[in-house]
Amino acid sequence: MQDSVKPNGITPSQTVGPFFKYGLTPNGEYAWNDAFTNSTLTSDVSGERIRIEGRVFDGDGVAVPDCMLEIWQADAQGRFADPQDKRALPNASFRGFARCGTDKDGNYAFESIKPGVVPDPDGKPQAPHILLAVFGRGMLRHLYTRLYFNDEVGNAADPVLALVPADRRATLTAVREAGKAVYRLDLRLQGDNETVFFEV
Amino acid sequence: MTFIYPTDSNKAHPLPLSPDYKSSIKRAPNKPLIPMRHTLSELTGPVYGHETVREGDSDLTTQHTGEPIGERIIVHGHVRDEDGRGVPNSLVEIWQANSCGRYVHVRDQHPAPLDPNFTGAGRTVSDASGYYRFVTIKPGAYPWGNHHNAWRPAHIHLSVFGHSFITRLVTQMYFPNDPLFPFDPIFNSVPDEKARARMVSSFDLENTQPEWALCYRFDIVLRGKNATPMENH
């Protein structure tokens, strides 16, 4: 029976190509509805509402118009909307996942909440962070990175940031705009100030 | 250090820089990826049920008033992890060119006809055993500007969610015996021949529907959790 077959290995990744928008991020421009938007917000969500904005650039510093970003994050209490997180969920309808395509100038934006603290495998606190997966034409496998917040004192003791050379940590740190709940983080796929990407 | 999903599995993937695929040259990181332990953030992931999937979203041939042109096919298989366990409730999204090799995307300039009855997007959720099924039209090959006389082998793009954020997969399903395989830098970006073969569907005569549709089986294999977490130092 097919169900009991043990496969020989995983299915390799391939690029999303340049023409994914009508299927994955149609945003009202195609005859297809979005499975996801760029917002994790639900009416009952608690925590500080934030907007995350930035641009994506290639190795020549040219904006990447055919990128797709996905985020995954904990709620304001640091809990994930996943049964594998065994702790009770205070925000039952918070999903923690959103998807966004870049526009012609490489801009992306997410509406979300500031995540709480999530423990590492040793139980030590991780600074608030959001996981980012970056897909695009020319990217044969999507890239993993994390977004941290420049106004979090916990960054200094974060066990994952500690793996990153000090002079590269700024590539992971979104900067809060004065007087607004808006954080900015540009992603550079290559070259000077290349974003730190993780092997997971 | 404990890796719950073995990182060895990642060896099946293409290298970020595959120079024959020209778009990778300026978009692959120059610096090595930084290995890290998996935390709760990486080990959890979005689980989606039917609230994102409408009735009929898995049949790309009935989304418009008329029938699309081309060869109707069934594409089905299981989403499994590499230990053979079915992955239930996994959202599978597909997108593809029409039978003439043209995408509806506004930036596709290939002068092949658009089909008013075919968008080329679909989605479904795997059942309790990880089984999924689509009805669609076999996509055509199409030219692209990567190199002289470059044509992509016919393929369907697939996006799959597994049990965690790090089992997320975007891949392309190819069709058996395509003569374009040796010339395609995206297909050949996967260095291991056996891993490459896992992107090729198999013709499934048994599930062909007489006088209606041919059938291809494509099993999607995601990373598996080690039963016993590995200690490597």
Side-chain angles (χ1 to χ4, degrees):
Chain A
M1 178 172 164
Q2 299 257 18
D3 271 315
S4 61
V5 173
K6 180 161 180 172
N8 295 317
I10 63 169
T11 306
S13 171
Q14 297 270 271
T15 175
V16 294
F19 300 139
F20 60 83
K21 182 172 172 62
Y22 69 88
L24 297 181
T25 57
N27 197 25
E29 294 172 38
Y30 291 97
W32 189 235
N33 66 321
D34 290 87
F36 308 105
T37 68
N38 70 334
S39 172
T40 68
L41 298 176
T42 50
S43 56
D44 68 341
V45 73
S46 63
E48 185 190 9
R49 294 193 178 213
I50 60 171
R51 181 176 170 88
I52 299 161
E53 296 179 351
R55 298 178 71 191
V56 183
F57 298 100
D58 71 9
D60 288 331
V62 174
V64 178
D66 44 14
C67 239
M68 179 176 82
L69 273 59
E70 291 179 348
I71 61 169
W72 173 242
Q73 66 167 90
D75 69 13
Q77 286 74 41
R79 297 174 191 180
F80 288 99
D82 181 324
Q84 295 174 97
D85 187 344
K86 302 296 186 195
R87 301 163 297 168
L89 262 179
N91 296 317
S93 64
F94 181 75
R95 302 307 292 264
F97 180 83
R99 176 187 280 175
C100 180
T102 53
D103 70 12
K104 63 182 173 47
D105 299 314
N107 290 293
Y108 75 90
F110 287 103
E111 307 288 345
S112 194
I113 55 159
K114 193 95 170 277
V117 170
V118 175
D120 86 347
D122 299 326
K124 290 180 190 155
Q126 301 184 77
H129 61 273
I130 292 177
L131 267 59
L132 276 170
V134 188
F135 303 80
R137 171 174 65 87
M139 301 170 68
L140 289 155
R141 185 181 167 210
H142 61 282
L143 293 166
Y144 289 99
T145 188
R146 281 184 169 204
L147 180 149
Y148 287 86
F149 301 90
N150 75 324
D151 51 358
E152 288 290 337
V153 291
N155 292 343
D158 182 80
V160 174
L161 270 180
L163 301 170
V164 176
D167 63 350
R168 298 189 68 199
R169 288 178 200 159
T171 71
L172 303 178
T173 311
V175 177
R176 187 167 183 130
E177 290 187 0
K180 292 188 206 164
V182 176
Y183 290 87
R184 284 202 66 85
L185 183 69
D186 289 343
L187 302 176
R188 295 178 190 277
L189 303 178
Q190 190 185 81
D192 291 344
N193 296 315
E194 179 179 306
T195 299
V196 168
F197 297 105
F198 294 98
E199 176 75 45
V200 289
Chain B
M1 198 176 274
T2 305
F3 288 107
I4 297 179
Y5 288 88
T7 48
D8 264 10
S9 311
N10 290 334
K11 288 178 180 162
H13 293 306
L15 292 173
L17 177 61
S18 296
D20 288 346
Y21 174 31
K22 288 186 180 156
S23 296
S24 77
I25 293 172
K26 290 295 179 186
R27 295 185 172 192
N30 289 144
K31 298 186 170 68
L33 306 184
I34 295 182
M36 58 169 283
R37 277 202 297 182
H38 301 156
T39 76
L40 200 55
S41 308
E42 287 75 33
L43 297 174
T44 51
V47 176
Y48 288 102
H50 293 271
E51 75 274 12
T52 49
V53 178
R54 300 169 303 186
E55 186 77 28
D57 277 359
S58 64
D59 188 342
L60 286 70
T61 68
T62 55
Q63 294 171 353
H64 298 275
T65 50
E67 292 203 20
I69 294 164
E71 179 185 334
R72 190 186 295 111
I73 58 171
I74 297 160
V75 173
H76 71 161
H78 283 82
V79 182
R80 292 201 182 86
D81 69 16
E82 61 191 310
D83 301 311
R85 293 174 288 228
V87 179
N89 208 36
S90 176
L91 178 69
V92 182
E93 297 167 274
I94 65 171
W95 68 104
Q96 62 169 91
N98 69 23
S99 60
C100 303
R102 178 84 186 263
Y103 288 91
V104 298
H105 196 284
V106 291
R107 292 178 65 178
D108 184 358
Q109 297 301 309
H110 176 37
L114 283 166
D115 183 340
N117 291 314
F118 192 72
T119 300
R123 63 174 73 99
T124 191
V125 173
S126 63
D127 73 9
S129 68
Y131 179 76
Y132 76 93
R133 180 179 186 270
F134 288 99
V135 177
T136 184
I137 296 291
K138 189 175 181 186
Y142 57 85
W144 60 311
N146 189 74
H147 55 276
H148 173 66
N149 204 17
W151 291 74
R152 291 297 329 277
H155 62 276
I156 295 175
H157 295 266
L158 293 106
S159 161
V160 187
F161 291 82
H163 286 309
S164 76
F165 199 64
I166 58 171
T167 58
R168 182 89 178 84
L169 177 73
V170 168
T171 190
Q172 298 180 23
M173 179 200 111
Y174 298 91
F175 292 86
N177 306 313
D178 195 315
L180 292 167
F181 286 153
F183 314 106
D184 183 51
I186 294 179
F187 178 71
N188 291 296
S189 67
V190 174
D192 177 61
E193 185 183 357
K194 287 180 180 165
R196 247 182 353 254
R198 294 197 292 269
M199 301 188 294
V200 182
S201 58
S202 54
F203 176 60
D204 183 355
L205 180 66
E206 193 183 337
N207 287 297
T208 288
Q209 301 279 308
E211 297 176 46
W212 191 73
L214 295 176
C215 183
Y216 294 87
R217 169 164 272 275
F218 187 61
D219 288 329
I220 303 159
V221 184
L222 307 177
R223 287 166 76 178
K225 276 186 186 177
N226 273 353
T228 310
M230 286 164 56
E231 298 293 332
N232 63 2
H233 74 92

